[in-house]
């Protein structure tokens, strides 16, 4: 990523514009958003205002064409933004979903009218985006979703529920996976863009879920009961939803991989600094051979992870990232994140277990990376199928 880590490594795709973007993003996250971290954590969601502030700085929709209000860049720009957010420890704004995923669906599958209607608001931060696939009955077997959309004149009537929806507490715009033909599995799935609000008949937000980590980002249940969605909000055609999701999921998995590598890098930096300043048995921790071995392992794992991630990003920007490679990246990078963060936490001793130290939060936040975006077990299924 742009700001070279301990190792001075920088990706092949890095251009001066990425470095400028990294500096802007880092300043925004650390000076504008992080000072509110305690309140965000307490309320369970970021301030809506911070989405608007990010939009004003041009940090939202970096890969959206300029004619729709975006930055006109590509996935490398989104990756830089997400890396910088994670690198400073900012976790309240759900940008991985808002910019990394939702805008991608609209750019790829929206018609001209849909793009003009929603993309400018997502890029300015007036609208907060979310995606709803997972249901209480299951997330891995997407073909079995039960949320139903029945055509009624010029509208669909949507009934069902979604759970674990990132940005679900604040979202104004939801890409919703529904069954338009319950008799079919994959071929019965469609994607509807839902305009949400707090007083919309047939729609209700459930509670914000109480999680072991990611406390400052809103993860919510969403309920629909004959919720009216204009048929004009359908993305492409009925029955194309499953294929649309399968085509977008490699990018979602890369987004998760970017966060994983940034977290590994931060963990190594924090643990190295701590090991240099803390003493035990009359010398700094880093003077003990085991500490040096652990840090050497973690730094190596981080460097190798970055090189693999950058190769995946290069392939993705060329349109050549296949499903199995994206699955490898998601599974291997997130397993690496959990391992590296755990080993780095150990270097902090008891302090590593207190939430005053960022490494403790990083430990709790890391765990979900092996679960969402398709669990790592499902990733391994996808990899194995390609062998
Ligand atoms: C904080 C958070 C944010 C999230 N954000 C979103 C979001 O924005 N939008 C969204 O739609 N979803 C979101 N999710 C949901 C997430 O994607 C699902 O939790 C995940 O896909 C797993 O689905 P599940 O929880 O229903 O587990 P299940 O599908 O019930 O799986 C349970 C266990 O069984 C294993 N398993 C299932 N099938 C197989 C198999 N064939 N072979 C081997 N093992 C298997 C799984 O790997 C897992 O270990 C989020 C989840 C969390 C926790």
């Amino acid at each position: 990523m742009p700001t070279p880590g301990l190792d001075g490594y920088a990706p092949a795709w890095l251009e001066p514009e990425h470095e400028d973007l990294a500096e802007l993003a880092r300043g925004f996250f650390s000076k504008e958003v992080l000072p509110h971290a305690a309140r965000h954590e307490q309320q369970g969601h970021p301030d809506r205002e911070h989405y608007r502030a990010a939009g004003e700085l041009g940090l939202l929709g970096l890969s959206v064409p300029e004619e729709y209000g975006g930055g006109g860049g590509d996935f490398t720009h989104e990756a830089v933004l997400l890396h910088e957010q994670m690198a400073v420890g900012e976790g309240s704004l759900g940008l991985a979903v808002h910019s990394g995923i939702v805008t991608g669906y609209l750019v790829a599958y929206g018609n001209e009218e849909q793009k003009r209607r929603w993309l400018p608001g997502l890029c300015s931060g007036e609208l907060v985006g979310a995606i709803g696939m997972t249901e209480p009955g299951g997330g891995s077997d997407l073909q079995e979703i039960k949320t139903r959309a029945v055509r009624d004149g010029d509208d669909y009537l949507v009934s069902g529920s979604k759970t674990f929806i990132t940005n679900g507490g604040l979202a104004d715009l939801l890409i919703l996976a529904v069954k338009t033909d319950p008799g079919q599995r994959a071929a019965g799935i469609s994607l509807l863009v839902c305009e949400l609000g707090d007083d919309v008949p047939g729609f209700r937000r459930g509670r914000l879920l109480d999680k072991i980590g990611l406390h400052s980002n809103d993860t919510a249940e969403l309920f629909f009961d004959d919720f009216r969605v204009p048929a004009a909000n359908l993305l492409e055609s009925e029955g194309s939803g499953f294929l649309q999701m399968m085509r977008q999921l490699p990018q979602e998995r890369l987004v998760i991989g970017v966060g994983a590598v940034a977290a590994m890098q931060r963990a190594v930096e924090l643990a190295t600094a701590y090991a240099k300043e803390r003493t035990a048995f009359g010398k700094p921790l880093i003077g003990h051979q085991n500490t040096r071995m652990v840090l050497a392992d973690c730094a190596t794992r981080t460097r190798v992870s970055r090189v693999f991630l950058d190769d995946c990003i290069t392939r993705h920007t060329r349109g050549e990232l296949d499903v199995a490679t994206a699955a490898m990246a998601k599974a291997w990078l997130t397993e690496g994140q959990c391992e590296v963060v755990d080993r780095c936490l150990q270097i902090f001793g008891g302090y590593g277990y207190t939430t005053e130290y960022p490494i403790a939060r990083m430990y709790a936040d890391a765990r979900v990376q092996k679960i969402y975006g398709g669990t790592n077990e499902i990733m391994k299924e996808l990899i194995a199928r390609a062998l």
Side-chain angles (χ1 to χ4, degrees), residues 97 131-141 163-166 211 214 219 368 371-378 381:
V97 169
I131 182 151
M133 305 182 204
T134 308
E135 301 187 348
S140 298
D141 190 0
T163 192
F164 302 126
I165 305 307
T166 299
K211 311 183 291 287
L214 300 183
T219 310
V368 74
I371 298 171
Y372 57 22
T375 65
N376 284 6
E377 291 75 25
I378 298 297
E381 275 295 323

Side-chain angles (χ1 to χ4, degrees), residues 67 148 157 268:
E67 57 189 301
R148 182 85 170 90
L157 288 176
V268 173

